[in-house]
Amino acid sequence: RAKAEYDRAICYYEQDMDEHARHRRDMARDLWTAVERGGFYLAYQVQRSVSTGKVTGYEVLLRWKRPGHGDVSPADFIPVAEECGAINAIGLWVLRTACEDAASWPEPYKIAVNVSGIQLAQVDLIDTVRNTLLVTGLTPGRLELEVTETAIIGDKQRALHILRQIKAMGVSIAIDDFGTGYSSLDTLRSFPFDKIKLDRSFMSEVESDEQSKAIVRAILALGHSLSVPVLAEGVETHEQLDVLRKEGCTEAQGFLLGRPGAINWEDLLEASSSA
Ligand code: C2E
Ligand code: MG
Ligand code: MG
Ligand code: MG
């Protein structure tokens, strides 16, 4: 009897796996089609100084309108793009398009572009970044690359070499989703990051939970002592922003400060002229 149940469970499991694999295969095929024919676009999310509220830059967030499915979340399609290798071509498109956009903006804001660990491992990112800046005319100081700790763990020495070369061009490097990886402190020690992006999971409980607040405070203190500015992700409420202000956080990003989307220059120019 146990054997029959076991067999049945395995059978369900395999059916599930088949279905899962089929979904991923179909998505991979559609991703490659989008690479060739288009279908991606970029959303920009504002980053602001906590003390003054002034815009400091924009994070570039990739969007995909998948035929027959509508908008798919990058959290769902980036892992598939990484698995099937499409991330390299997609990443090139994101970098190129974002730099072109930013070079044409009326205000010289910084842009922060997410870079996958696969790109770090497989693409000649040093040449890619250099050429993109050259072709688009964007000043290196206006570009920031966001890498997660997990993006660096593969061939760590190689990854750090690449990041150092890119940093030497004047491009800045931020560590993304800080606090959720498993080697945070070691990563910080081995690479001079220009910014720490505190993962948004800490934000959701910062008002109600003393533990979360203590961790946020500790990471801010770490940033202070290393002279690395900390940006808090996922700020959704005024209460959260108040905590960050009290604790001396440098920058913030989140739905409270601006949702990802197209840049509304009229609002921004109006705001800066009336300020
Ligand atoms: P991330 O780099 O940590 O980006 C921040 C994510 O948090 C974005 O999700 C953003 O829309 C979301 N977010 C911002 N403010 C709030 C808030 O107040 N509350 C909540 N709940 N969420 C907020 P999104 O756009 O869905 O992107 C998810 C992840 O996909 C990104 O996390 C990044 O890891 C990856 N991703 C996005 N674009 C790219 C890209 O061009 N290349 C690569 N390699 N990865 C990308
Ligand atoms: Mg990011
Ligand atoms: Mg993040
Ligand atoms: Mg994230």
PDB file of all heavy atoms in Angstrom, residues 176-177 199-200 233, ligand 4:
ATOM      1  N   ASP A 176      23.137  45.073  -4.689  1.00  0.00           N
ATOM      2  CA  ASP A 176      21.670  45.051  -4.676  1.00  0.00           C
ATOM      3  C   ASP A 176      21.158  44.001  -3.688  1.00  0.00           C
ATOM      4  O   ASP A 176      21.843  43.011  -3.426  1.00  0.00           O
ATOM      5  CB  ASP A 176      21.182  44.700  -6.095  1.00  0.00           C
ATOM      6  CG  ASP A 176      19.762  45.160  -6.367  1.00  0.00           C
ATOM      7  OD1 ASP A 176      19.116  45.715  -5.458  1.00  0.00           O
ATOM      8  OD2 ASP A 176      19.296  44.972  -7.510  1.00  0.00           O
ATOM      9  N   ASP A 177      19.959  44.226  -3.174  1.00  0.00           N
ATOM     10  CA  ASP A 177      19.295  43.262  -2.279  1.00  0.00           C
ATOM     11  C   ASP A 177      20.189  42.880  -1.111  1.00  0.00           C
ATOM     12  O   ASP A 177      20.229  41.716  -0.698  1.00  0.00           O
ATOM     13  CB  ASP A 177      18.899  41.981  -3.050  1.00  0.00           C
ATOM     14  CG  ASP A 177      17.990  42.279  -4.227  1.00  0.00           C
ATOM     15  OD1 ASP A 177      17.424  43.381  -4.287  1.00  0.00           O
ATOM     16  OD2 ASP A 177      17.840  41.395  -5.092  1.00  0.00           O
ATOM     17  N   ASP A 199      17.897  45.422   1.074  1.00  0.00           N
ATOM     18  CA  ASP A 199      16.774  44.686   0.490  1.00  0.00           C
ATOM     19  C   ASP A 199      15.438  45.124   1.080  1.00  0.00           C
ATOM     20  O   ASP A 199      15.321  45.412   2.263  1.00  0.00           O
ATOM     21  CB  ASP A 199      16.957  43.189   0.702  1.00  0.00           C
ATOM     22  CG  ASP A 199      15.961  42.398  -0.125  1.00  0.00           C
ATOM     23  OD1 ASP A 199      16.133  42.356  -1.352  1.00  0.00           O
ATOM     24  OD2 ASP A 199      14.995  41.869   0.456  1.00  0.00           O
ATOM     25  N   ARG A 200      14.414  45.109   0.208  1.00  0.00           N
ATOM     26  CA  ARG A 200      13.133  45.653   0.645  1.00  0.00           C
ATOM     27  C   ARG A 200      12.447  44.782   1.687  1.00  0.00           C
ATOM     28  O   ARG A 200      11.523  45.230   2.354  1.00  0.00           O
ATOM     29  CB  ARG A 200      12.216  45.911  -0.544  1.00  0.00           C
ATOM     30  CG  ARG A 200      11.670  44.688  -1.220  1.00  0.00           C
ATOM     31  CD  ARG A 200      10.459  45.097  -2.066  1.00  0.00           C
ATOM     32  NE  ARG A 200       9.827  43.928  -2.626  1.00  0.00           N
ATOM     33  CZ  ARG A 200      10.023  43.492  -3.862  1.00  0.00           C
ATOM     34  NH1 ARG A 200      10.833  44.143  -4.654  1.00  0.00           N
ATOM     35  NH2 ARG A 200       9.415  42.423  -4.294  1.00  0.00           N
ATOM     36  N   GLU A 233      15.434  50.068  -0.174  1.00  0.00           N
ATOM     37  CA  GLU A 233      14.487  49.687  -1.228  1.00  0.00           C
ATOM     38  C   GLU A 233      13.116  49.427  -0.630  1.00  0.00           C
ATOM     39  O   GLU A 233      12.992  49.071   0.543  1.00  0.00           O
ATOM     40  CB  GLU A 233      14.905  48.361  -1.874  1.00  0.00           C
ATOM     41  CG  GLU A 233      16.247  48.325  -2.536  1.00  0.00           C
ATOM     42  CD  GLU A 233      16.427  47.007  -3.302  1.00  0.00           C
ATOM     43  OE1 GLU A 233      16.505  45.930  -2.678  1.00  0.00           O
ATOM     44  OE2 GLU A 233      16.466  47.070  -4.522  1.00  0.00           O
TER      45      GLU A 233
HETATM   46 MG    MG B   4      15.085  42.514  -5.405  1.00  0.00          MG
END
